[in-house]
Amino acid sequence: MVSGPEEPGVRLPQLKLDELLEELQARINAARSTQNRVHSLLEAVLSVGRELNLEQVLHSIVEAAAVLVDAEYAALGIIGPDGRRLSAFHTVGVTEEQIAAIGPFPEGHGILGELIRHPQPLRIARISGHPASYGFPPGHPPMSSFLGVPIRVRDQVFGNLYLTEKRGGAEFDEEDESVLSTLAVAAGVAIDNARLYEESRLRERWQRANAEISHSLMSGSDRAESLGLIAERAREISGSALAAVALPMEGTKSLTVEIAVGVDAEAHRGLVLPMHESLMGLAYTATAPVTSDDIVHDLRITPEPPRFGGLGPAVAVPIGTGESGMRGVVLVAREAGRPVFLQRETELLLGFAAQAAIAMELAERRQDAQQIALLEERDRIARDLHDLAIQRLFATGMTLQSAGRFIEHPKAAERVLRAVDDLDETIKIIRSTIFGLRTRLGTGGSGLRARVVRAVGEAAPVLGFAPSVRMEGLVDTDVPPEIADHVVAVLTEALTNIARHAQADRAQVVLTTDGREVRLKVSDSGVGIPSVGRRSGLLNMAERAETLGGRLEVTRPAGGGAALDWWVPLPAE
């Protein structure tokens, strides 16, 4: 009876205690969850910062982001140089089959573009309900919830983290946003470190290449070998499919491609390029890099002959600085779909080319010094021959001639007179040798290369277009002047015939020599050579070839037009 009324009073505190215990347990669980999440975040930061390879760093960031916020799909989009589109995309959670079904990676439209335009954290409960959303492409997995945060590297937005579909059907909350934002800060530091490491490695490779080229040039290697080394190292280190080196032609406003390595290199070697109508020519005249995002469709590239198939981003940088220090141009081009050349990549290539120019100039100075020493030695030999040998021989001849008057035997006297004549001939030979030793090589752009370019340039106004020109081999060295005159005459006649009769809109000139023969090929896209009519021009070209022991062939290619093939053997040395 006494304890009955007290029972409710006993149960009430018990209920409050249970509630307090449950609340305490919930807070303990929340604290434990927060502790575990913080621990996971620290592990993710350490994992991301541990890598130095940029590609591995980016993949680690995407994987860590997906785990930290429990998202089914995660992606990292890298913003391109224009600041408006995505240039690369790294994903987690999407299979290769799904990627193939979706098609090309997104460029930054819709929700993804919203983060590019407004680089602030973006959390959406339902993607389809956002004003910037306009649906997914066919084959794309369904996605609803969304969380995105920007990644900044040195106050510049590098890219964005995109997380979708929080597991369990829940929405991303403020804590998810806070955790992902913290990871983005750590990711920015890791990306910066990886880029600095990558750049230092790249600089080291360029420096090694410069040292290799300097050693090659200073050790007296052939110019073609050294230029080939420049092209090959530029192609390898820049990750390009093609590299070409062009040098200015003396006496003309043109460049000639001396060396090309990589994709379709044969189509580039020997090409003559105008200064103001080619990527390499523009880089030479501006003494500054000239880039192209798509070299195949670049209007600054002459379409004939086709030579950039399958290529995309390209950059041409001058070899040297200033008008007096310009040595040439190096061009590198990557395959279509590869990243464009960034400014830092172009700067490294420009530095490489500048160092190569210095090495080339030092090598030329060394060759000039050797040439001067050689000429001085030749002058000394010529003086000695003139002052000593000729005087002695002349004196000996005079002595013999005087002694001959005292010789009574006719045959002996005849022999002495023949010896005097031989001495006179010897003196003439020595004087001729002296003249040869003192002869200086002339300059002035009178070589066959320059004459061919001038002939083509003079024909361009009459043709209505500029023919493409390619030259291979030691054209100026191996072809003697008398044969060079015939080559120029045949070329002029061929271009005149095209202008008068072919009705062509393009033509190609190819001049090659291997030291044994010189071959000139001229082709056009016109109506071809008629079977009847005046053929005096062709007869003249054929007679020139036959006179020199060569041959002329005229054919009609399958694609139409006409092709002239004129060749003659070169005299043996």
Side-chain angles (χ1 to χ4, degrees), residues 12 45 110 115 149 197 227 306 324 327 354 383 439 446 458 470 572:
L12 191 57
V45 170
L115 262 174
V149 297
Y197 177 74
L227 292 177
S324 59
R327 302 284 164 177
R383 286 196 305 271
T439 298
S446 59
E458 291 168 359
R470 186 168 76 244

Side-chain angles (χ1 to χ4, degrees), residues 56-201:
Q56 293 178 355
V57 168
L58 298 177
H59 189 71
S60 298
I61 292 169
V62 182
E63 285 187 331
V67 172
L68 283 174
V69 298
D70 203 20
E72 188 172 350
Y73 304 108
L76 193 159
I78 300 174
I79 299 175
D82 60 3
R84 297 190 300 271
R85 292 179 297 177
L86 298 176
S87 62
F89 214 69
H90 299 262
T91 62
V92 165
V94 185
T95 65
E96 293 294 331
E97 292 76 11
Q98 288 175 316
I99 292 174
I102 294 170
F105 282 118
E107 294 186 354
H109 305 293
I111 298 294
L112 305 188
E114 190 71 15
L115 262 174
I116 297 175
R117 293 185 294 271
H118 308 287
Q120 299 293 332
L122 179 63
R123 186 157 40 95
I124 304 171
R126 190 163 51 88
I127 294 175
S128 59
H130 195 278
S133 175
Y134 58 79
F136 297 105
H140 198 287
M143 296 180 180
S144 180
S145 56
F146 175 89
L147 175 60
V149 297
I151 297 177
R152 287 181 169 82
V153 177
R154 298 193 180 190
D155 295 330
Q156 295 291 325
V157 178
F158 173 83
N160 296 308
L161 275 172
Y162 306 112
L163 287 301
T164 60
E165 287 302 286
K166 188 173 178 69
R167 297 183 188 276
E171 298 178 8
F172 295 107
D173 55 24
E174 290 185 8
E175 189 173 336
D176 292 326
E177 181 181 319
S178 177
V179 168
L180 198 61
S181 297
T182 304
L183 178 66
V185 173
V189 175
I191 290 170
D192 192 31
N193 288 339
R195 279 170 38 172
L196 288 173
Y197 177 74
E198 189 178 80
E199 188 173 326
S200 67
R201 293 288 300 273

Side-chain angles (χ1 to χ4, degrees), residues 219-239:
S219 62
S221 296
D222 180 71
R223 186 182 75 160
E225 181 182 343
S226 299
L227 292 177
L229 193 59
I230 291 173
E232 192 61 53
R233 294 297 174 266
R235 185 182 69 86
E236 289 175 0
I237 300 175
S238 66

Side-chain angles (χ1 to χ4, degrees), residues 139-357:
H140 198 287
M143 296 180 180
S144 180
S145 56
F146 175 89
L147 175 60
V149 297
I151 297 177
R152 287 181 169 82
V153 177
R154 298 193 180 190
D155 295 330
Q156 295 291 325
V157 178
F158 173 83
N160 296 308
L161 275 172
Y162 306 112
L163 287 301
T164 60
E165 287 302 286
K166 188 173 178 69
R167 297 183 188 276
E171 298 178 8
F172 295 107
D173 55 24
E174 290 185 8
E175 189 173 336
D176 292 326
E177 181 181 319
S178 177
V179 168
L180 198 61
S181 297
T182 304
L183 178 66
V185 173
V189 175
I191 290 170
D192 192 31
N193 288 339
R195 279 170 38 172
L196 288 173
Y197 177 74
E198 189 178 80
E199 188 173 326
S200 67
R201 293 288 300 273
L202 196 58
R203 286 185 185 278
E204 184 181 348
R205 292 184 66 189
W206 284 121
Q207 288 171 358
R208 285 202 302 266
N210 276 129
E212 185 180 3
I213 291 164
S214 298
H215 180 268
S216 173
L217 286 165
M218 299 305 290
S219 62
S221 296
D222 180 71
R223 186 182 75 160
E225 181 182 343
S226 299
L227 292 177
L229 193 59
I230 291 173
E232 192 61 53
R233 294 297 174 266
R235 185 182 69 86
E236 289 175 0
I237 300 175
S238 66
S240 300
L242 169 74
V245 176
L247 303 181
M249 294 183 63
E250 187 178 0
T252 69
K253 294 182 179 180
S254 303
L255 296 172
T256 178
V257 180
E258 295 280 348
I259 297 292
V261 294
V263 175
D264 291 336
E266 288 293 334
H268 295 266
R269 294 192 191 112
L271 271 180
V272 177
L273 304 172
M275 287 290 187
H276 299 287
E277 297 177 10
S278 65
L279 209 66
M280 300 180 87
L282 291 172
Y284 185 90
T285 54
T287 64
V290 177
T291 60
S292 174
D293 292 348
D294 185 0
I295 196 168
V296 174
H297 300 99
D298 198 312
L299 297 178
R300 296 168 294 182
I301 300 297
T302 53
E304 295 292 335
R307 57 197 184 277
F308 289 110
L311 300 179
V315 59
V317 300
I319 302 175
T321 56
E323 292 185 8
S324 59
M326 286 293 293
R327 302 284 164 177
V329 179
V330 57
L331 175 140
V332 290
R334 289 172 176 161
E335 294 176 343
R338 292 287 310 282
V340 298
F341 286 90
L342 302 176
Q343 182 179 353
R344 59 189 179 89
E345 292 179 305
T346 302
E347 288 173 353
L348 288 173
L349 179 60
L350 185 61
F352 165 76
Q355 290 296 320

Side-chain angles (χ1 to χ4, degrees), residues 379-431:
D379 282 342
R380 185 191 64 77
I381 294 172
R383 286 196 305 271
D384 289 348
L385 287 173
H386 183 272
D387 297 341
L388 300 177
I390 287 181
Q391 297 302 324
R392 280 177 171 272
L393 289 173
F394 184 75
T396 302
M398 293 290 291
T399 302
L400 288 173
Q401 196 171 16
S402 300
R405 292 195 298 267
F406 300 102
I407 299 174
E408 297 180 357
H409 195 284
K411 289 188 176 180
E414 184 182 353
R415 284 191 175 187
V416 170
L417 290 175
R418 279 205 306 267
V420 172
D421 290 340
D422 288 343
L423 286 172
D424 286 340
E425 287 299 319
T426 302
I427 290 171
K428 291 179 182 178
I429 292 172
I430 293 175
R431 281 177 173 164

